[in-house]
Amino acid sequence: MKRLILAMLLGAAPISVSAQDFAITNATVGTGDGSAPIEHATVVVRAGKIVSVGRDTAAPGGTQVIDGTGKWVTPGLFSAVTDLGLWDVEAVDDSNDTSAEKSPFNAALDVATALNPSSEHIAVSREGGVTRASVAPMNGASIFAGQGAVIDLGQDAAIVMKPRAFQYVELGESGARLSGGSRVAAHTALRNALREAREVAALPAGAQRQGDVLLTRADAAALAKVIDGTQTLYVGVERASDIRGVLALKAEFPKLDLVLVGATEGWLVAPEIAAAGVPVVTIPMRDLPATFETLAATMSNVGRMKKAGVKVAIGMFMGMDQPRNAPQQAGNLVALTKIPGASGLTWGEALAAITSIPAEISGFGGKAGVLAPGAAGDVVLWDGDPLELSSAPVSVWIDGVKQPVDSHQARLRERYKDLDETYLPKAYDW
């Protein structure tokens, strides 16, 4: 114990915690694969992986058994396109690494170098049942924001699962502003950058580029992975016509692995998105035409795209819109199925939209966001239906390791939830 305390005081590397073998029995289980919840079911986790799930599953002898009577179990939430770990106070530049407006680089920027595993936003999200996320940069002075990463939210320093997981580019109205004032300029800048990247990739080692170039060599080299399809290209786009323009990129660059981000008017071109096999990450509860590119906004956007065969994940929780709000958004889509004329999702589909589908889009299909044999032991035990606003996590495991369901925010809530001044700090003692 003395050695442990001394190591902590000296700032030594954190001691790793072993995965736990456990079983949660007699709970209502949502597996995250799109199916309906299973009542009176058991989930077994061994060596950090899911072993078995179902009504007929029995807890192995010698395994810690947790009674889930009256509770719900789901996979950990997978939050797609977040800014977790990139800022502490959004309005304070010194603590905000979400964008680099004055940098000479754009596509080469890599968020993994700035991620802070001690960020309070990570703790708050973990407390809300989020166990993994894709972290995206925000645009600075270019349509290219840089390269995002996939992280886990475990309480340790090694949070990066996959650095340089995707490249992010902004088109539409924002892209037009960033590239000279029109969509024409944005699409010209994008195509020129991809062509430069293709040329750089084809050069022999040590050869110099010839002619006019607009990208730094580092940016062009980063985009080379987008050209050959080994790095996914996330494209921020909202308007139906802009979506068609993005899908048309494959005619010139056939290996592009595209993901649409936003797609507020996606329902208008849903058959085309589905035919192209391009998934979508969006935030669903948009029904106001806040901009000219979202004039056709509707809360039925996700439901209509899903009906057309589009793979849709709920995400885009950035800034003060926290990833732990995902279950509320998913629950609202379930509620839409009760409204005449509206299109929503079933309970199972809604849970999948915040677990297995964002995991699959991020390159972790079958490995995260689902309670299935061989998947990561990311498990959340809830005190009620997780898609109901009144429910909250009771326990959270990541890779089979039980996580603290606590944060500075929660401690402040407990400290000041009543007006009894007995326990206020000395600063309040006048």
Side-chain angles (χ1 to χ4, degrees):
M1 178 60 71
K2 290 181 179 178
R3 287 195 298 269
L4 173 60
I5 294 173
L6 180 60
M8 293 173 65
L9 290 175
L10 294 176
I15 297 174
S16 61
V17 180
S18 299
Q20 300 162 268
D21 295 344
F22 64 94
I24 303 175
T25 63
N26 202 36
T28 301
V29 176
T31 60
D33 63 0
S35 60
I38 309 168
E39 296 182 350
H40 309 297
T42 295
V43 177
V44 179
V45 178
R46 184 184 301 127
K49 300 288 185 182
I50 304 296
V51 174
S52 57
V53 180
R55 246 192 221 107
D56 301 325
T57 296
T63 301
Q64 177 192 7
V65 176
I66 300 167
D67 184 11
T69 301
K71 297 181 175 62
W72 292 59
V73 178
T74 69
L77 308 183
F78 198 118
S79 191
V81 189
T82 73
D83 53 10
L84 285 175
L86 289 179
W87 62 282
D88 295 308
V89 179
E90 192 172 19
V92 178
D93 290 343
D94 290 343
S95 74
N96 192 330
D97 293 304
T98 56
S99 65
E101 295 181 0
K102 298 178 181 178
S103 172
F105 303 102
N106 46 71
L109 299 173
D110 178 6
V111 300
T113 59
L115 290 171
N116 176 17
S118 299
S119 168
E120 199 60 33
H121 303 289
I122 288 179
V124 168
S125 297
R126 183 174 61 230
E127 182 184 18
V130 181
T131 58
R132 301 185 191 261
S134 60
V135 181
M138 296 179 66
N139 296 85
S142 166
I143 60 172
F144 290 101
Q147 302 172 89
V150 178
I151 66 170
D152 72 58
L153 275 66
Q155 195 190 33
D156 58 67
I159 64 171
V160 179
M161 299 169 57
K162 185 179 181 181
R164 299 175 294 282
F166 58 92
Q167 176 71 230
Y168 190 91
V169 63
E170 188 71 45
L171 294 181
E173 292 180 4
S174 295
R177 287 192 297 269
L178 289 167
S179 54
S182 78
R183 286 175 167 83
V184 174
H187 278 273
T188 300
L190 174 58
R191 283 177 165 79
N192 179 76
L194 295 178
R195 289 165 186 156
E196 280 194 40
R198 185 164 56 191
E199 291 169 4
V200 167
L203 288 174
Q208 298 296 314
R209 287 188 288 173
Q210 302 296 321
D212 295 334
V213 292
L214 296 179
L215 296 183
T216 66
R217 190 176 187 93
D219 291 332
L223 288 175
K225 295 183 180 297
V226 171
I227 292 295
D228 65 17
T230 57
Q231 186 180 72
T232 305
L233 181 63
Y234 283 35
V235 186
V237 67
E238 304 290 354
R239 198 168 74 177
S241 62
D242 291 333
I243 293 171
R244 290 192 182 100
V246 173
L247 299 180
L249 286 170
K250 281 203 168 186
E252 184 176 355
F253 308 99
K255 292 185 178 181
L256 286 183
D257 182 15
L258 296 171
V259 173
L260 300 178
V261 180
T264 298
E265 293 190 350
W267 66 277
L268 289 173
V269 288
E272 296 166 60
I273 300 173
V278 174
V280 172
V281 177
T282 190
I283 192 161
M285 306 313 291
R286 291 177 171 177
D287 65 342
L288 295 175
T291 62
F292 280 102
E293 63 183 356
T294 59
L295 290 176
T298 171
M299 288 188 181
S300 292
N301 185 37
V302 171
R304 291 173 182 174
M305 285 195 289
K306 176 71 170 62
K307 188 175 181 180
V310 180
K311 186 182 298 179
V312 187
I314 296 172
M316 297 177 65
F317 294 99
M318 306 185 87
M320 299 308 295
D321 195 1
Q322 300 177 16
R324 65 176 177 174
N325 293 334
Q328 177 184 353
Q329 296 278 354
N332 286 337
L333 288 175
V334 177
L336 279 181
T337 62
K338 311 296 183 182
I339 300 176
S343 296
L345 300 177
T346 66
W347 191 95
E349 291 170 341
L351 180 65
I354 56 176
T355 54
S356 63
I357 294 178
E360 185 177 346
I361 291 173
S362 302
F364 291 85
K367 300 177 183 178
V370 65
L371 298 179
D378 294 1
V379 180
V380 182
L381 180 64
W382 305 78
D383 59 13
D385 182 343
L387 303 190
E388 291 290 339
L389 191 58
S390 58
S391 301
V394 174
S395 298
V396 177
W397 291 263
I398 297 178
D399 287 324
V401 178
K402 193 169 185 179
Q403 303 292 320
V405 186
D406 189 24
S407 66
H408 182 61
Q409 187 179 83
R411 291 189 292 273
L412 286 175
R413 178 196 64 209
E414 293 302 313
R415 187 174 190 175
Y416 299 112
K417 68 180 179 180
D418 60 54
L419 298 178
D420 184 353
E421 298 185 5
T422 303
Y423 302 104
L424 290 177
K426 290 297 291 181
Y428 290 81
D429 185 0
W430 297 96

